[in-house]
């Protein structure tokens, strides 16, 4: 039986890996790539694995009806990796939309 992709499992796995590597992770040199709601989960998995980014959730203000804050998935890492991951994300999402 195959395993269904689950973002909660991915976040827990990467959090555990990061704690094992460096329990006092410095946030100063890290940047967040905001993942738009509705992004294909397999693309998120590919980004996390290819660029070594840490998936975390963060509350952000959202301008939609009756909602001031919402938890958003972000991928955190060094600037160069986040910029490369952002390029990859847009390229993959464009290819996904065009193939639908």
């Amino acid at each position: 039986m195959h395993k269904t992709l689950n973002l909660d499992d991915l976040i827990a796995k990467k959090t555990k890996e990061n704690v094992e590597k460096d329990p006092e992770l410095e946030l100063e040199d890290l940047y967040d790539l905001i993942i738009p709601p509705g992004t294909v989960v397999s693309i998120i998995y590919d980004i996390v694995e290819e660029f070594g980014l840490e998936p975390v959730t963060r509350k952000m203000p959202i301008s939609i009806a009756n909602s001031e804050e919402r938890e958003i998935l972000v991928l955190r890492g060094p600037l160069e990796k986040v910029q490369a991951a952002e390029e990859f994300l847009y390229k993959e999402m464009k290819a996904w939309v065009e193939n639908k």
Side-chain angles (χ1 to χ4, degrees), residues 1-90:
M1 184 149 93
H2 72 284
K3 178 161 173 49
T4 303
L5 296 178
N6 183 319
L7 289 177
D8 293 330
D9 293 340
L10 178 66
I11 291 170
K13 175 185 166 200
K14 289 298 179 179
T15 301
K16 182 181 176 196
E17 287 175 5
N18 286 335
V19 167
E20 290 172 356
K21 287 180 189 173
D22 186 4
E24 295 183 16
L25 187 62
E26 290 291 326
L27 294 178
E28 286 180 10
D29 298 327
L30 299 179
Y31 295 82
D32 288 347
L33 171 60
I34 298 169
I35 302 299
T39 300
V40 180
V41 176
S42 60
I43 294 174
I44 297 170
Y45 263 79
D46 290 345
I47 292 171
V48 169
E49 295 302 320
E50 186 169 328
F51 297 97
L53 300 177
E54 177 187 1
V56 294
T57 57
R58 125 180 173 193
K59 287 194 178 216
M60 295 186 64
I62 303 293
S63 299
I64 57 175
N66 300 327
S67 178
E68 293 180 12
E69 277 193 343
R70 182 174 172 186
E71 276 199 2
I72 298 292
L73 177 67
V74 299
L75 303 181
R76 185 169 289 160
L79 181 60
E80 301 79 27
K81 287 185 178 185
V82 169
Q83 288 174 330
E86 181 181 31
E87 250 182 72
F88 180 84
L89 171 65
Y90 289 119

